[in-house]
Amino acid sequence: MKSFREELWFETSTRRAYLNITERVQQAVRRSGVQEGLVLVNAMHITASVYINDDEPGLLKDYDEFLERVAPQAARYRHNETGEDNGDAHVKRQLMGREVVVAITGGRLDFGPWEQIFYREFVGRRRKRVLVKVIGE
Amino acid sequence: MKSFREELWFETSTRRAYLNITERVQQAVRRSGVQEGLVLVNAMHITASVYINDDEPGLLKDYDEFLERVAPQAARYRHNETGEDNGDAHVKRQLMGREVVVAITGGRLDFGPWEQIFYREFVGRRRKRVLVKVIGE
Amino acid sequence: MKSFREELWFETSTRRAYLNITERVQQAVRRSGVQEGLVLVNAMHITASVYINDDEPGLLKDYDEFLERVAPQAARYRHNETGEDNGDAHVKRQLMGREVVVAITGGRLDFGPWEQIFYREFVGRRRKRVLVKVIGE
């Protein structure tokens, strides 16, 4: 069994951002040399998500609006009484998810036609990272 | 290490549908010959979910009503300005999840007493598929 | 390839509870002897979640309040017509998730600075369990 580990680092210029990281994950899988296996891709921070869906600008705004409607940034959060201002981000990240697990087949991400991996930042403007862990053969 | 891959294809007659796919996944695990390992089961399409919960008809309706309440089909979605009519489905799928990872122990899905794997279709009436990827020994 | 399986059992004294199980999962990983691999941690019951976020008391209350707002315990659920009283718990568990998959690197959970694994009970006061399944080398 082979294993491989790589960190992807990001620093977004805005509080909220979407980054399509599909190609960077595919490159990590290539470097791993794994032909058949699984890759775990997870946010290492607790106010960011990794998820899979379509790369369509309207959809990204729909997600923004949905999340802001159900967990508004300006609402009252007990977590913010600690001096933080990101209570909403911890809720939003849970709804969008921490991680994805993707099959590797023939050395490539085994995806349907529209699947794309996104890093979703809810509290940016600082250096944060995603873990890519590959296991297989 | 062994690996095994299978696609499950579906075409539902209604826009929304639930399919209990536990037995089909169990059969794929059997065919894989893996006794100890993990199985990833994921929707390959971005308006469908794979999730684990109880197979109880009232509960399935509760999920429907919850999802329709927080992300109504008739609400305005920017994604629909592209000519699509499935903006709601992309939100609903994120809430229910894309994938499950299940332990394989002694050649079987290692489940609690009520766990069942569902394929949840949000935009049916076309051929769509689920990926089953097994790794282990 | 090595594999390892352990069940963690809980019985909470309240209907709803949060348990930080990070150290128990780390101990299971240690017992597995796996240095490089993946660990799956999942609720084996369908009204409980396993998720990863910060261990901050205010945040735990924020999650409670959010979940109770979108899926109140006292609302009407068809599932409850079966004699159950936990319709809300099935919805809440889906939003917080069933499982996490964590990378193992150098024999340890490969975590960012604030990541902690929680068992989130939505219908406690009975014996319930979490599955820890490790694969790797």
Side-chain angles (χ1 to χ4, degrees):
Chain A
M1 201 200 80
K2 284 182 188 170
S3 70
F4 178 85
R5 178 192 194 275
E6 188 169 303
E7 292 180 359
L8 310 179
W9 285 83
F10 309 103
E11 182 168 356
T12 64
S13 59
T14 49
R15 180 178 172 97
R16 296 186 200 156
Y18 291 92
L19 300 173
N20 184 332
I21 62 172
T22 314
E23 191 47 37
R24 291 181 69 175
V25 175
Q26 179 61 63
Q27 287 167 11
V29 168
R30 204 172 294 134
R31 277 190 286 277
S32 77
V34 166
Q35 293 294 306
E36 298 295 323
L38 296 177
V39 55
L40 167 69
V41 187
N42 71 266
M44 298 187 79
H45 298 263
I46 53 187
T47 54
S49 289
V50 171
Y51 76 91
I52 288 173
N53 213 294
D54 193 6
D55 193 352
E56 195 280 303
L59 179 62
L60 303 186
K61 287 199 189 106
D62 289 334
Y63 283 142
D64 265 356
E65 288 177 15
F66 170 77
L67 293 168
E68 184 62 19
R69 179 158 52 78
V70 296
Q73 190 182 340
R76 181 175 166 270
Y77 297 93
R78 289 166 200 262
H79 183 58
N80 292 352
E81 295 170 10
T82 64
E84 298 280 355
D85 70 344
N86 55 20
D88 68 307
H90 289 273
V91 177
K92 287 165 172 156
R93 123 67 180 259
Q94 286 312 115
L95 296 177
M96 290 301 274
R98 166 191 180 256
E99 80 215 12
V100 296
V101 178
V102 181
I104 301 169
T105 302
R108 294 196 57 79
L109 298 171
D110 195 337
F111 267 161
W114 302 101
E115 291 189 281
Q116 299 284 321
I117 309 177
F118 279 90
Y119 175 68
R120 177 63 168 107
E121 178 60 75
F122 295 107
V123 189
R125 302 194 203 106
R126 62 184 86 162
R127 293 194 77 219
K128 291 166 80 171
R129 59 200 158 126
V130 160
L131 179 62
V132 180
K133 184 88 180 189
V134 181
I135 68 168
E137 263 180 355
Chain B
M1 202 200 80
K2 282 182 189 171
S3 69
F4 178 85
R5 177 191 195 276
E6 189 169 303
E7 292 180 1
L8 311 180
W9 286 83
F10 308 104
E11 181 168 358
T12 64
S13 59
T14 49
R15 179 179 173 97
R16 295 185 200 158
Y18 292 92
L19 300 173
N20 184 333
I21 61 172
T22 313
E23 192 47 38
R24 291 182 70 175
V25 175
Q26 179 62 62
Q27 286 168 9
V29 168
R30 204 172 294 134
R31 278 190 285 274
S32 77
V34 166
Q35 293 294 305
E36 298 294 323
L38 296 177
V39 55
L40 167 69
V41 187
N42 69 266
M44 298 187 79
H45 298 262
I46 53 187
T47 53
S49 290
V50 171
Y51 76 91
I52 288 173
N53 213 294
D54 194 5
D55 193 352
E56 194 280 303
L59 179 61
L60 304 186
K61 287 201 190 106
D62 289 334
Y63 284 142
D64 265 357
E65 289 177 11
F66 170 77
L67 293 168
E68 184 62 18
R69 179 159 50 79
V70 296
Q73 190 182 341
R76 182 175 166 270
Y77 297 93
R78 289 168 200 261
H79 183 59
N80 292 352
E81 296 170 11
T82 64
E84 299 279 356
D85 70 345
N86 54 20
D88 68 306
H90 289 271
V91 176
K92 287 165 173 158
R93 124 67 179 258
Q94 286 312 116
L95 295 177
M96 291 301 274
R98 165 189 180 260
E99 79 213 14
V100 297
V101 178
V102 181
I104 301 168
T105 302
R108 292 197 57 80
L109 298 171
D110 194 337
F111 267 161
W114 302 100
E115 291 189 281
Q116 298 284 324
I117 310 177
F118 280 91
Y119 174 69
R120 176 64 167 106
E121 178 61 74
F122 294 107
V123 188
R125 301 194 204 105
R126 60 183 90 160
R127 294 193 77 218
K128 292 166 79 172
R129 59 200 158 126
V130 160
L131 179 62
V132 180
K133 183 89 181 188
V134 181
I135 67 168
E137 260 180 358
Chain C
M1 202 201 79
K2 283 183 189 172
S3 70
F4 179 85
R5 178 193 195 275
E6 189 169 304
E7 292 180 359
L8 310 179
W9 285 82
F10 308 103
E11 182 167 358
T12 65
S13 60
T14 50
R15 179 179 172 95
R16 295 185 200 157
Y18 291 94
L19 301 172
N20 184 332
I21 61 172
T22 315
E23 191 48 37
R24 290 181 71 176
V25 175
Q26 179 61 63
Q27 286 167 11
V29 168
R30 203 172 295 134
R31 278 191 284 276
S32 77
V34 167
Q35 293 295 304
E36 299 294 324
L38 296 177
V39 55
L40 166 70
V41 188
N42 70 266
M44 297 186 81
H45 299 262
I46 52 188
T47 54
S49 290
V50 171
Y51 76 91
I52 289 174
N53 213 294
D54 194 5
D55 192 352
E56 195 280 303
L59 179 61
L60 303 185
K61 287 200 190 105
D62 289 334
Y63 284 142
D64 266 355
E65 289 178 12
F66 169 77
L67 293 167
E68 183 61 20
R69 180 158 52 78
V70 296
Q73 190 181 340
R76 182 174 166 271
Y77 297 93
R78 289 167 200 262
H79 183 58
N80 292 352
E81 296 171 10
T82 64
E84 298 280 354
D85 70 345
N86 55 20
D88 68 307
H90 288 272
V91 177
K92 287 165 172 156
R93 122 67 179 259
Q94 286 311 116
L95 296 177
M96 290 302 273
R98 166 189 181 257
E99 78 214 16
V100 296
V101 177
V102 181
I104 301 168
T105 303
R108 293 197 58 80
L109 298 171
D110 194 337
F111 266 163
W114 301 101
E115 290 189 281
Q116 300 284 323
I117 309 177
F118 280 90
Y119 175 69
R120 177 63 167 107
E121 178 59 76
F122 294 107
V123 188
R125 300 193 204 107
R126 60 184 89 160
R127 294 194 77 219
K128 291 165 81 171
R129 60 201 157 125
V130 160
L131 178 62
V132 180
K133 184 88 181 190
V134 182
I135 68 166
E137 263 181 354

